[in-house]
Each structure stands twice: as C-alpha cells, then as structure tokens.
Amino acid sequence: MQQRLASRSEPSVASSSEEEEPFISLGDENEDDCFGILSPLKHCKLIAEANSSSFKVFVSSALKMEPATQNEWDRLSSPSSDGEEQAASDGSSSQFNRQQHVAFLMMMYESLPHHYQYQEINRITLAHFAISGLCLLGALDRVDKDAVSDWVLSLQAHPSNKADLTNGEFYGFHGSRSSQLHPDDNGVLMHNGSNLASTYCALAILKAVGYNFANIDSKSILTSMRNLQQHDGSFMPIHFGAEKDLRFVYCAAAICFLLEDWSGMDRERAKAYILNCQSYDGGFGLTPGSESHGGGTYCAVASLRLMGFIEDNVLSKNTSSSIIDLPLLLSWCLQRQAADGGFQGRANKPSDTCYAFWIGSVLRMLGGYNLIDKEALRGFLLTCQSQYGGFGKCPGDLPDLYHSFYGYTAFSLLEEPGLNPLCAELGMTEFSALGI
C-alpha cells in the first residue's frame, strides 16, 4: 500500500502555451451571474442555462479548436433519426462523450454560472472538482498550473508564531477568499476559517498540477490538526462549533498520507472511532449508531486503508483476521446496486451518480469490484450524462460539478478508454497520488 501510493514531490509543471479561449457570455450586463473559479466574484454577463440553446454556443466555441469534435457536436444537435433525436433530448448516449466533458469543465473553470454563488465559501472544493476532473480526463494541459498552485497556496492560514500552533486553532486552507480575513496590525488572524475539507481539496489540487510538496508549510497543518481530534478519535472540521463524523476522519487521514507524516493524528483512536461506526448490516454510518451510508462507508474503509489497518484486495486474503466484518460489508455494498444498474447511498433510496464512486471505490479497495454488473452500471451512468457534457444526479437532471466529477471517477473505475486510472483511496488519479 505505502509503496503503491507513496508520494514523490515533483517540480511544478509549466503551463500550456496555448492562449486561453475567449470568455463568451450572453445576457444582461447588469446581472452578477457568473465568476471564474480562481477569480473573485465580479459583475459580468449571464452564462445561459445548461438546457438552453445558448449553452451550445459556449460549449461549441470551447470545442472550436477540434474539428472532429465539432462534427460530433453537430451530430448531437441535429439528430438524423428518431432514435438519435430521443437520445439527444434526454441526454443519454451509448458513448462517454469525453470532449463535451472537457468543454463542460473548462466552462466551469473559467466562468461558473450564477447558481454557484451560494457556494462561494466552498470555492476551493469547486476548483478541486473542475481541476481534478480535467486531470482524470487527461486535459489538464488546458489550465495554467502555476496560476492554480499560486492561488491555492494563497489560501493557507499561517500562524503568527509557533505558540499559535497549540492555541486550539487549525492552520490549514481556507475554502475561499471570502472566508480569509486579513490579519491585524500584529499579524494575528482576526478570524481563522480554515478547515479539514478545504485542506484536503487544496492538497488534491496541488497534487494534480504537480506542485512540489516540499514547499508547503506542512508542519503548521499537521501540528495544529491534532487540535481537531476528539477524545473518541473523531475529528471536527474546524476548531469551533462544528460537527464530528467520519468525513473529517477521512480528510485528516488523507492529509497525513499526502504529506507523508502521521504526526497530525492519533491513528489508533481514529481506528477505534471508525470501528464503532460499523452498523449491524455491515455498512458504516457517519457516526456511531447511525444508518449505514455510502459516503460514510467510503470514508471508513478508505481511512483504514490509508492508515494501514486493512490490506489492499483484502477479500483475496484471510478475512477472519480483519478488524471489520468483511462478509457483511461486502453484502451491504453489493445490495446497493439497484435494478436500474446504478448505486444507491442507502437502502430504499433512488440511484445516484455519485454513489457509483462512493460504493464502487469501497468494492475496488476490498477486491470485490468485479462482482458488480458493470454493464448495467455503465448504462445507468450514461442516462445521467448530459449531451453538453457533465453528469446530473439522476437521469434527466441538469449537470453539476459535484456529480460530474464523481461521474468521471466512476467511469475511471470502469476503465473507460481515454480516462486516467483512479486511486480509489484518495479520490484522485493514480498519477497524482504517485506524484507523476
């Protein structure tokens, strides 16, 4: 495990020399309706709704450098038969439309639609979905990697002195500029809003663009991160007034793994908390005693893998010695594949694009991924694919960044040609995890 995922720091990769596509926008100039992921909110024109004809104008322009893709776009927009017309209208296709997905992510990278403004506080998470998504699609050469890394690094909170590292606060990364207040005249942060989830996303982005981790202030992150671990082994995401559950245990484990230093957490206490979250049916709830959940199960199994408590492909080994109930966990995971081929996050819930990653990755880590119906899963995911790129939560839904990213990870697990292989434990490409 450690050898397979061991990180190697590499120099920053030079950005593409190609000129950026011009910003194309339509609508009322007075509406504050869109913003680029790396830029502050600004007054700009409206990017049209994803299901409108003007959305085609934007994506078609983004694809204009590739004539073959333009022809494919024309075929999608002007179906020649009733069958093709139906496929175009409901967004379904028999193929994974890589070029449209690249165009969709580039649109999100350059100018997010106004619907995302309420997620301003989570801008670095949106950036992770867009940039890591491009990395999965093998299209990261389209972004300025140096600009990306500079922006991410500018969001780290720094203590004014070493004593601050034990003051109870966490010195990781902020989610956006709006949560990053300037320090006072003495260099003391007036409000430190850095958190575990944003820090995981920041490191994932830096891994994707090939940034040299030797230049990161990892000591501040790891030393202060111990302030967030609770007596029961769980983690809070921030140093005040927050919940504690498996999501943040996973973030802490992933941060330690990526920084190659486990001084930021007590692994034994974290393991005890995780084991207390396994439910009677084999899955894991986000907290002890709560209902089994696909996301919680992923966080539990991935954390145990990263911390070295369960082996890779453990189902092929002696399961009786495992610290978790593997047969029951396997049964629970396999029961989450529904009749439509998709995965549900909990029993009696509809299938959802993202659980093809959350549940699929658990099965990949355990060594049971080949037990699912891959063709049925692929068919379900294609019904969630928009003809203009991206994935929606369910068939017929408009695409969004969250479900699009996890749609790409799901197709990577399915070994879709043209996608980079996925490191299931870290939710990023294997190349990024290995520092290649």
Side-chain angles (χ1 to χ4, degrees):
M1 168 66 181
Q2 296 293 334
Q3 291 179 344
R4 185 167 68 86
L5 295 177
S7 300
R8 293 206 318 267
S9 296
E10 296 289 345
S12 178
V13 182
S15 60
S16 171
S17 60
E18 296 181 1
E19 292 185 2
E20 293 184 5
E21 293 289 340
F23 174 73
I24 300 174
S25 57
L26 302 166
D28 189 336
E29 291 190 39
N30 295 321
E31 292 185 347
D32 191 10
D33 278 74
C34 55
F35 56 100
I37 281 183
L38 306 188
S39 62
L41 284 168
K42 58 186 179 183
H43 231 51
C44 56
K45 299 180 181 180
L46 170 68
I47 284 291
E49 293 288 337
N51 61 343
S52 72
S53 59
S54 47
F55 183 83
K56 175 192 169 183
V57 176
F58 187 99
V59 182
S60 183
S61 174
L63 295 172
K64 68 186 179 190
M65 300 298 291
E66 304 185 38
T69 305
Q70 180 65 54
N71 293 335
E72 175 66 9
W73 178 266
D74 292 338
R75 186 189 68 79
L76 283 171
S77 355
S78 304
S80 58
S81 68
D82 292 341
E84 289 184 2
E85 185 171 3
Q86 175 62 33
S89 65
D90 63 16
S92 63
S93 169
S94 61
Q95 302 295 325
F96 179 84
N97 298 324
R98 178 183 174 277
Q99 295 302 333
Q100 280 86 342
H101 292 305
V102 171
F104 173 82
L105 289 180
M106 285 306 299
M107 182 194 77
M108 294 296 181
Y109 173 78
E110 294 173 352
S111 49
L112 280 168
H114 69 95
H115 305 87
Y116 288 93
Q117 288 193 35
Y118 76 99
Q119 287 288 342
E120 156 63 15
I121 198 75
N122 299 315
R123 186 188 291 268
I124 201 166
T125 303
L126 300 177
H128 162 53
F129 292 150
I131 295 166
S132 296
L134 288 168
C135 190
L136 278 165
L137 295 170
L140 202 58
D141 59 329
R142 303 193 180 206
V143 305
D144 185 335
K145 299 179 182 67
D146 291 332
V148 168
S149 59
D150 288 345
W151 175 76
V152 171
L153 292 170
S154 72
L155 292 172
Q156 185 174 1
H158 296 281
S160 57
N161 55 64
K162 290 184 179 180
D164 283 351
L165 295 177
T166 56
N167 66 2
E169 296 192 18
F170 174 55
Y171 294 93
F173 287 82
H174 293 271
S176 71
R177 196 73 69 217
S178 62
S179 66
Q180 184 184 39
L181 302 183
H182 291 293
D184 61 19
D185 294 338
N186 297 318
V188 178
L189 287 175
M190 299 174 62
H191 174 72
N192 179 6
S194 62
N195 62 83
L196 284 178
S198 294
T199 301
Y200 160 75
C201 290
L203 296 180
I205 294 171
L206 292 173
K207 272 290 185 183
V209 299
Y211 184 75
N212 187 342
F213 271 37
N215 297 325
I216 296 176
D217 182 8
S218 59
K219 179 176 175 58
S220 294
I221 296 172
L222 295 166
T223 302
S224 63
M225 194 167 75
R226 295 186 70 93
N227 298 328
L228 303 181
Q229 189 165 22
Q230 308 300 296
H231 293 299
D232 61 0
S234 65
F235 274 83
M236 290 171 53
I238 199 167
H239 64 277
F240 62 92
E243 59 211 324
K244 54 180 185 178
D245 59 52
L246 282 178
R247 293 172 297 174
F248 311 118
V249 174
Y250 170 75
C251 288
I255 290 166
C256 287
F257 189 92
L258 289 168
L259 295 177
E260 301 183 59
D261 187 339
W262 289 95
S263 65
M265 65 186 297
D266 185 328
R267 280 184 280 183
E268 287 296 330
R269 279 198 293 156
K271 178 183 75 172
Y273 181 80
I274 293 171
L275 298 183
N276 283 334
C277 291
Q278 188 166 25
S279 182
Y280 70 93
D281 58 5
F284 288 79
L286 287 170
T287 58
S290 60
E291 180 185 10
S292 295
H293 183 275
T297 301
Y298 171 83
C299 290
V301 175
S303 296
L304 292 173
R305 284 277 299 117
L306 292 171
M307 292 189 291
F309 290 121
I310 58 176
E311 300 176 86
D312 186 26
N313 197 22
V314 67
L315 290 174
S316 66
K317 303 175 177 65
N318 183 8
T319 59
S320 62
S321 62
S322 177
I323 61 175
I324 57 178
D325 190 330
L326 283 172
L328 205 57
L329 172 59
L330 177 63
S331 175
W332 184 86
C333 288
L334 293 175
Q335 289 178 47
R336 300 284 69 76
Q337 188 166 23
D340 60 8
F343 277 91
Q344 56 186 193
R346 292 177 286 163
N348 302 314
K349 294 293 184 180
S351 298
D352 179 329
T353 295
C354 68
Y355 290 108
F357 167 78
W358 299 120
I359 303 291
S361 289
V362 171
L363 289 167
R364 169 60 63 85
M365 288 183 276
L366 297 178
Y369 194 70
N370 288 331
L371 299 176
I372 70 170
D373 187 337
K374 296 180 182 179
E375 284 302 314
L377 174 59
R378 189 176 190 276
F380 170 80
L381 291 171
L382 288 174
T383 66
C384 300
Q385 176 181 245
S386 167
Q387 62 176 316
Y388 303 116
F391 288 87
K393 175 180 180 178
C394 303
D397 286 358
L398 293 177
D400 64 81
L401 260 176
Y402 171 82
H403 290 94
S404 295
F405 174 72
Y406 287 113
Y408 306 142
T409 60
F411 268 98
S412 179
L413 288 173
L414 289 168
E415 300 180 345
E416 178 72 20
L419 269 67
N420 285 322
L422 181 75
C423 171
E425 293 87 348
L426 290 170
M428 63 179 66
T429 68
E430 289 186 353
F431 301 130
S432 296
L434 293 171
I436 299 175

